[in-house]
């Protein structure tokens, strides 16, 4: 199925969860928040949140400067 | 000052542009003058937020920082001047605040740590710290003590802001980001740089958020993360909700809907 990640189209197996997607993108889940269709998915739901065709994802990277 | 203390003539004049706003008025201005705000960090965010809050007539500003002013700070930390290099930042900040508005009482604090969390004395805490350990410590303490928190952060051309309120179903900073990143995986401003005016943008947004919170009016960024990309000129807001597994707020304040 097709998804959009940070504006770019990606093909992933159907049934892919947020937790499964992150390693495909080469992303360490420890320093980011994952936004699906403008809402952040809580970290404890990354494993159970199954992505759907045409979902739009943004990977939000934490910044800590002040 | 107490909330019912009448404004002096010079205060009516000084704060006239605030008082003209029907959302503020004389009542709101007296509320601001009786309010207490704690700034974590007297740096790139604390400078603009602190100066604007001082100008707005916040009665008491606490400033927590243990650093000294360095020449590399002056590109963005606008509360400090060239003649302040080498001085304690809290002293330099206090001087800038008093010069701007002698109505403000300034309280100086050292670095926030597990042993030094003076939040309970304040109406709201503004996090403008420069490291993740402090950010999570501040969030966890604010949640535990039931003190509102306005958190902002910057790096390069980017800024982020969210507001955390105690109680009920409100999510916290740890619901958004579960914990500090592994060392070295996210750069700091001293490693990756930051445009000074980006810190100015985010610090002034924190000040606006604080004024609304203190007045008890307007919409706050609760459960919302504001993302500012200064390079593309875009602001974006994303929603987030409480993570039931959050180690800071997931297990507390569980009402009928909470923690579910």
């Amino acid at each position: 199925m097709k998804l959009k990640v940070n504006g770019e189209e990606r093909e992933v197996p159907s049934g892919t969860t947020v937790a499964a997607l992150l390693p495909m993108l080469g992303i360490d889940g420890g320093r980011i928040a994952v936004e699906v269709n403008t809402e952040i998915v809580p970290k404890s739901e990354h494993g159970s949140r199954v992505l759907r065709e045409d979902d739009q994802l943004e990977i939000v990277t934490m910044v800590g400067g002040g | 000052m107490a909330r019912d203390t009448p404004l002096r003539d010079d205060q009516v004049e000084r704060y006239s542009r605030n008082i003209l706003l029907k959302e503020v008025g004389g009542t709101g201005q007296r509320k601001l003058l009786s309010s207490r705000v704690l700034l974590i960090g007297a740096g790139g965010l604390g400078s603009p937020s602190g100066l604007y809050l001082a100008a707005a007539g916040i009665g008491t500003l606490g400033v927590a920082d243990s650093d000294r002013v360095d020449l590399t700070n002056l590109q963005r930390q606008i509360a400090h001047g060239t003649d302040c290099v080498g001085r304690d930042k809290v002293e330099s900040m206090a001087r800038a605040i008093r010069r701007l508005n002698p109505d403000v009482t300034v309280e100086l604090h050292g670095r926030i740590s597990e042993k030094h969390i003076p939040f309970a004395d304040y109406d709201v805490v503004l996090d403008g710290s420069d490291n993740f350990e402090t950010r999570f410590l501040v969030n966890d303490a604010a949640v535990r003590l039931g003190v509102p928190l306005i958190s902002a952060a910057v790096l390069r051309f980017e800024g982020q802001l969210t507001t955390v309120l105690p109680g009920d179903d409100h999510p916290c900073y740890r619901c958004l980001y579960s914990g500090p990143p592994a060392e070295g995986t996210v750069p700091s401003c001293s490693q990756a740089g930051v445009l000074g005016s980006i810190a100015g943008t985010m610090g002034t947004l924190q000040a606006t958020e604080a004024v609304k919170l203190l007045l008890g009016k307007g919409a706050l960024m609760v459960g919302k993360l504001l993302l500012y990309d200064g390079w593309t000129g875009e602001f974006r807001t994303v929603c987030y909700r409480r993570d039931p597994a959050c180690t800071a707020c997931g297990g507390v304040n569980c009402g009928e809907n909470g923690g579910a």
Side-chain angles (χ1 to χ4, degrees):
Chain A
M1 63 177 179
K2 282 197 182 91
L3 303 173
K4 261 197 179 160
V5 181
N6 292 348
E8 284 183 21
E9 234 171 56
R10 282 194 82 99
E11 186 76 35
V12 299
S14 61
T16 298
T17 61
V18 171
L21 179 73
L22 294 178
M24 294 179 201
L25 302 172
I27 288 171
D28 159 24
R31 59 190 175 88
I32 50 114
V34 180
E35 173 195 338
V36 180
N37 306 329
T38 76
E39 194 182 316
I40 303 278
V41 179
K43 199 136 295 184
S44 66
E45 295 175 14
H46 281 192
S48 57
R49 174 65 180 267
V50 177
L51 296 165
R52 297 195 179 140
E53 179 91 31
D54 295 328
D55 271 349
Q56 304 222 8
L57 286 84
E58 295 283 338
I59 307 297
V60 180
T61 304
M62 61 200 301
V63 299
Chain B
M1 66 183 260
R3 240 168 229 209
D4 50 0
T5 307
L7 296 171
R8 301 185 311 262
D9 288 350
D10 67 295
Q11 289 178 320
V12 172
E13 193 173 346
R14 176 186 286 268
Y15 304 117
S16 61
R17 303 305 191 268
N18 280 356
I19 295 166
L20 278 169
L21 299 166
K22 69 174 178 6
E23 294 82 353
V24 181
T27 308
Q29 188 60 51
R30 287 196 300 275
K31 211 181 255 189
L32 297 181
L33 282 161
S34 67
S35 295
R36 300 172 53 82
V37 175
L38 176 63
L39 309 171
I40 314 283
L45 293 164
S47 289
S49 65
L51 292 177
Y52 272 105
L53 290 174
I58 302 302
T60 303
L61 286 175
V63 186
D65 203 312
S66 62
D67 289 346
R68 291 189 173 191
V69 179
D70 186 86
L71 192 57
T72 60
N73 299 152
L74 300 186
Q75 156 266 15
R76 65 195 179 286
Q77 302 185 13
I78 57 166
H80 312 297
T82 307
D83 60 338
C84 301
V85 171
R87 289 190 190 194
D88 287 340
K89 276 192 188 172
V90 286
E91 295 286 352
S92 167
M93 182 89 188
R95 195 175 71 153
I97 290 170
R98 290 188 191 116
R99 184 171 160 268
L100 183 57
N101 189 352
D103 277 350
V104 181
T105 302
V106 188
E107 296 177 345
L108 307 186
H109 298 278
R111 183 175 289 277
I112 298 299
S113 68
E114 286 288 359
K115 289 183 180 164
H116 182 57
I117 300 177
F119 296 7
D121 298 335
Y122 292 93
D123 298 313
V124 58
V125 172
L126 269 59
D127 192 359
S129 60
D130 63 359
N131 67 87
F132 289 109
E133 286 69 26
T134 304
R135 289 183 177 279
F136 283 97
L137 179 68
V138 165
N139 172 74
D140 296 356
V143 169
R144 194 170 65 241
L145 298 167
V147 178
L149 165 67
I150 301 167
S151 179
V154 290
L155 188 73
R156 292 174 47 78
F157 297 96
E158 270 181 65
Q160 299 187 1
L161 178 144
T162 190
T163 295
V164 176
L165 289 186
D168 299 338
D169 297 333
H170 298 139
C172 73
Y173 182 72
R174 205 179 267 279
C175 296
L176 185 58
Y177 300 119
S178 55
E183 191 128 337
T185 56
V186 177
S188 66
C189 292
S190 62
Q191 294 164 321
V194 61
L195 189 70
S197 56
I198 301 290
T201 301
M202 301 314 293
T204 50
L205 286 169
Q206 273 182 299
T208 304
E209 196 76 351
V211 167
K212 289 186 295 179
L213 188 145
L214 294 168
L215 292 173
K217 292 178 179 175
L220 298 171
M221 294 296 292
V222 179
K224 292 177 181 177
L225 175 69
L226 178 70
L227 299 161
Y228 173 51
D229 182 338
W231 195 246
T232 59
E234 283 179 358
F235 283 94
R236 213 161 64 78
T237 302
V238 295
C239 298
Y240 67 99
R241 54 194 162 87
R242 175 175 272 187
D243 188 336
C246 175
T247 55
C249 73
V252 298
N253 298 323
C254 289
E256 285 184 9
N257 303 314

